[in-house]
Structures are given as C-alpha cells and as structure tokens.
Amino acid sequence: MSMFCNQCQETAKNTGCTINGVCGKKEATANLQDLLVYACQGIAAVAIEARKKRINTNAESKYIVNCLFMTITNANFDDRSIIDAIKACNGLRDALKIKVSYKGTEDMVGWSATSDAEFHEKSTHVSTLNFDTNEDIRSLKQYVLFGLKGIAAYAEHAFNLGFEEQDIYDFIEEVLLKITKPSDLSSMLNLVLQTGEHGVQVMALLDKANTSAFGNPEISSVNIGVGKNPGILISGHDLKDIEQLLIQTEGKDIDIYTHSEMLPSHAYPKLKKYKHLVGNYGNAWHRQLEEFETFNGPILFTTNCLVPPRKTTTYNDRVFTTGATGMPEWKVLDKKLPNGHKDYSEIIELAKKCKPPQEIEKGEITIGFAHNQVLSLADKILEAVNSGAIKKIVVMSGCDARQKAREYYTEFAKQLPKDTVILTSGCAKYRYNKLNLGNINGIPRVLDAGQCNDSYSWAFVALKLKEVLGLDDINKLPIIFNIAWYEQKAIIVHLALLYLGIKNTHIGPTLPGFLTPNVLKIVQEKFGVKVSTTVEEDMKIFELN
C-alpha cells in the first residue's frame, strides 16, 4: 500500500485513501505528513523530559501545534514546506536533546535525513497503520490523533492572539507519546474522553481569546452582494490575520470580503467597525473553484479549506497562503512589518490592478448568535420554549463538503417543523443559511454562532439552559444534535460533546471510516452515536414529524 489516510469524511470507500487522497492530496504528501507527525513525536519525547528539568519548551510546543495544524485535511499540499517543517522539527529536537542531555535511543528522537529522497523513503515507514497490530487499539489511537489535530488548530488561533495554557501543550505532547506505546481498550477509551475534555478546554480558551481581542459577537446583517471597488477575499479561520489585513487596507479604496469560515468576522465589534469590510463572497469552501474565478481580485488563505486548482484554473497568480497552509502553485506570505504584523503589501498592490468582483448573489444574511448574544435573548427563548412556540432546538453544526449526500442537510432544514430553531456553527450552515426559514416571535429560526470552534457556544448555552430549567441531565433538554463532519476540527468538536455527556447525536453523512466495527459498537452503546439516514427517517427518530 503506497499511502493510507482515513482522517476525513471523504476517505475512499469510507475506509481509507490508498492511491490519492479524495481531497486531492498525493501519495508523497500524505506520507510526508505522517512523517511530520512522527517528527512532532520526537520533539514531544524530549520536551517532556526538558520540562522535568524546568527548561522552557514554549517554542517547541508551539512548533508542534503548528505542524499538527499543517497535517489536517485541506491545509497543506506543498511537499517542500512539509519537508522544511520536518527538518525544523529535528533541529529543535536535537538542540533540546543537548540541553537535556537526553539518553533515550528511540528512533523518533534519533533518526535523521538530509536529502529529499531520504525524507521520502523514511516517510513510507511511519503510517498510522503502524500504530498498533490490534486494529481496535489502532482505531482508537487514530481517533485520538485526529482529535489532537483539531485541538492544535484551535490552540494556534488562541496563541496567535496571546492566549495559551501549558496544560493543553502538555496534553498534546503526552498523548503523542502514548499513541506510540502498547495500550488496551479501556485505557484508550479513557484517552478518547480526555481528548474531548481538552477539546472543551481549548475551545473555551479560543473563545476567550477572540472575545477579549474583538468583543462579543453581536447580531449583524452581512451583505452577500458586491461593491464597485477592487476587493481582497480572505478565507480560513484566523481572526488576527483579518484584523491585520483590515488595518493595512484602510483608506486604500479596496474592499475586504470574507469567504466561508471567515464570515463570523462581521459580527465582532472591533472588526465590523472597519467600513471597508463590506461583505461575504461565495459559499462553503468546496465551491471555490468556480467562485474564485469570478472574484477577480487577490485571495488569502489563513488556514485550511484549500482545494487544489484545476489545470484550467486562471486564478493561481492571485492566491496567497499564510500560516500552516500551503499549495505548490500559490505564493506564501511570510514577511513581517517592523511592528510584527504580516506584510500584506504584495496583495494590496495586486488588488489595485484588479477588477471589482463579479456579483454572484444579492441580499443579506444574519449572523452573530454566539453564546453571549443568545444568552442575552435567554428570557425570550425560554418564554417561547415554555409556551410551546419553540418545541425543539436542533443543533446542525459542523462542516460542509462537496458530496451530493450533503443535500440531506438542506432538505432537513427545509422540512423541519416551523416550531423548531436551528443552532448552527461551522461551514455546514451554507447548506441552509440563505433559505427563508422565517422567525418565531422575532427569534430567527437559524441562529449562527460562528466558526466550527464556536460550536462551544451551543454546549455553553445547553449547560446554562440545563441550569436555568433545573434539570439533572443535559439530555432532558429539548435539544437534538444532527452534526455534519468533514475534518479533524469537527472530530474534536464531537469528542467534546461526548465528554460533556451529550448522547444520541447523529453525525453524517457517514460515520468515521477509522472506527472499526468493535469500536463503533462501543461508541454507539456508550454514547448512542448514530449515522444520519434519510431526512424522513431522521425526522421520525428525532420526533420532529
């Protein structure tokens, strides 16, 4: 087998991509990403020993986080940048070994390579298939690793804004080592839940970072049409990146548009104050191949959700990546200004030469229903629940993707009874956030909390409602969970729900391919996890018909 990757929902035959990734990732890239994880395990082993000797390992921990982020689905397709990251990992590891006087002889802390050929050869020996000979233990180790990748993504956004918790770094590194060692089913199931616990912790940290930096999201209308100025489109999840772009483009007659998961920027008071943040262009990430053609101006990817361009694509010279992202055909932005901000001057100069975006939609969408805003409406929502005006609250958070099966979520939203409210976050919302689903006593029927990490808002709201209603079990609330997943940030969100004791969640359009039949049976028996079926059948199961 030349490659093996089963970390996302699109994985081939729902078991694993073995020739090319369905996401567009090639064999060499997939193997190098496995080697990058292995290199992170090498640093982690030494860093843990270093902290025992009170040596500061903050730089190493942050680098591990960044490298794990590089390996999530649709984040980095650039072999050159991945090899460079592996070299940097080994450099950090070896420098730390000298400080610690490390005596261990494990391969992950001792191996080295110099030529690209050697890195590629080594990369064929570190697949996740090597994690354990027992397929159930291996399945749980993969489950934990993919959750760690989600934790790493959220931790990086938080530390970019100056918010860190050593406990999160400790957990990531200790678990990277644990999955290299023999284990048993009980220990691994416990580790799965611990991963969910740290998922809650990192999402709370990121929520604190975002709201401290930019204020609490508030109800906001977002234009989905276009203006007459040239524009820059910014995609991904990193709010610090968009803030720096807004600062550098102010007063330059360039409009800034958000794309996909950057949409929630329009709800943060300290970002929406910029008048040239004019709207959201396009839809979820997988439609970028068509929508980037019509945007006309430069595009900046701050995080994952890249789609490899087609041979006929005309926008390659207009796309830039930064942070953990990479695509061989696109330029990387890594220069800094004297004040430490990223230098966007190249994008700005290019935008001035481009035509304004071509209009593909008109109208507005309403966003900004993160936990602080929803709880400010709590009395109104509780009154509607108690009067029966709202019978059920349906959490439909998660990811969107290109499979036709995803139309299920549009139809599910359309067919929901009019006395139900949808709570959403993540790019799954693009399947229904432009439908005219109306409101209940002035409360919109689609309440959008923000990005995938803002799914934390719904756990926060559910726990508050449980407290206010005096319930002894969160599962007695009139809330049901119908979650769409695609990549590893959704995995950690789902693990967080399991840790919080939320049962009977439906996920789809398929259950994770990395779960073996035995592990799936345990998860289903312990947590009631089910795969979504048909709209009609799920309406019956959820008692919504």
Side-chain angles (χ1 to χ4, degrees), residues 324-342:
T325 60
M327 184 73 75
E329 295 89 342
W330 301 345
K331 290 183 181 176
V332 180
L333 277 180
D334 51 12
K335 291 181 185 173
K336 294 285 183 69
L337 296 170
N339 65 2
H341 287 194
K342 290 180 180 176

Side-chain angles (χ1 to χ4, degrees), residues 250-390:
E250 191 168 26
K252 290 186 164 60
D253 295 327
I254 295 171
D255 291 339
I256 303 301
Y257 294 83
T258 57
H259 172 254
S260 195
E261 280 280 72
M262 200 58 90
L263 167 63
S265 307
H266 297 270
Y268 285 92
K270 290 186 181 176
L271 295 176
K272 64 188 288 187
K273 72 177 184 179
Y274 292 95
K275 302 300 181 191
H276 62 302
L277 179 62
V278 300
N280 180 254
Y281 190 84
N283 294 276
W285 62 273
H286 57 96
R287 293 176 65 177
Q288 64 190 252
L289 291 170
E290 294 78 26
E291 293 174 347
F292 285 3
E293 293 287 355
T294 54
F295 183 73
N296 294 332
I299 298 141
L300 173 63
F301 272 103
T302 66
T303 66
N304 60 302
C305 295
L306 284 63
V307 177
R310 297 171 175 144
K311 289 181 181 176
T312 55
T313 289
T314 68
Y315 55 70
N316 282 335
D317 62 344
R318 292 191 278 116
V319 188
F320 298 78
T321 63
T322 187
T325 60
M327 184 73 75
E329 295 89 342
W330 301 345
K331 290 183 181 176
V332 180
L333 277 180
D334 51 12
K335 291 181 185 173
K336 294 285 183 69
L337 296 170
N339 65 2
H341 287 194
K342 290 180 180 176
D343 183 352
Y344 291 127
S345 57
E346 187 174 354
I347 300 180
I348 292 168
E349 290 307 308
L350 177 59
K352 291 176 180 174
K353 300 172 187 171
C354 294
K355 294 187 295 184
Q358 178 181 325
E359 185 174 270
I360 55 175
E361 294 176 292
K362 284 183 179 177
E364 292 184 337
I365 50 178
T366 303
I367 64 168
F369 293 95
H371 58 85
N372 188 70
Q373 181 67 76
V374 171
L375 291 178
S376 74
L377 301 171
D379 289 347
K380 204 171 179 180
I381 292 172
L382 282 171
E383 183 183 332
V385 170
N386 290 329
S387 72
I390 295 178

Side-chain angles (χ1 to χ4, degrees), residues 25-90:
K25 187 167 58 178
K26 301 298 183 188
E27 171 194 342
T29 310
N31 292 340
L32 286 171
Q33 289 186 352
D34 287 342
L35 185 59
L36 183 53
V37 171
Y38 191 68
C40 288
Q41 290 170 317
I43 303 183
V46 186
I48 290 169
E49 292 304 311
R51 286 196 290 275
K52 290 177 184 173
K53 297 185 177 182
R54 299 185 179 282
I55 295 172
N56 188 312
T57 59
N58 184 264
E60 289 81 1
S61 295
K62 283 182 175 173
Y63 202 72
I64 288 171
V65 163
N66 180 258
C67 290
L68 291 178
F69 199 174
M70 288 175 73
T71 67
I72 72 171
T73 304
N74 284 358
N76 199 309
F77 296 80
D78 182 12
D79 293 357
R80 182 73 267 149
S81 69
I82 298 169
I83 289 175
D84 288 344
I86 296 167
K87 287 180 181 175
C89 276
N90 288 352

Side-chain angles (χ1 to χ4, degrees), residues 414-432:
K414 282 181 180 175
Q415 294 187 35
L416 279 172
K418 296 191 183 306
D419 54 9
T420 54
V421 169
I422 297 173
L423 309 183
T424 191
S425 52
C427 60
K429 60 175 161 271
Y430 282 99
R431 288 285 171 176
Y432 42 79

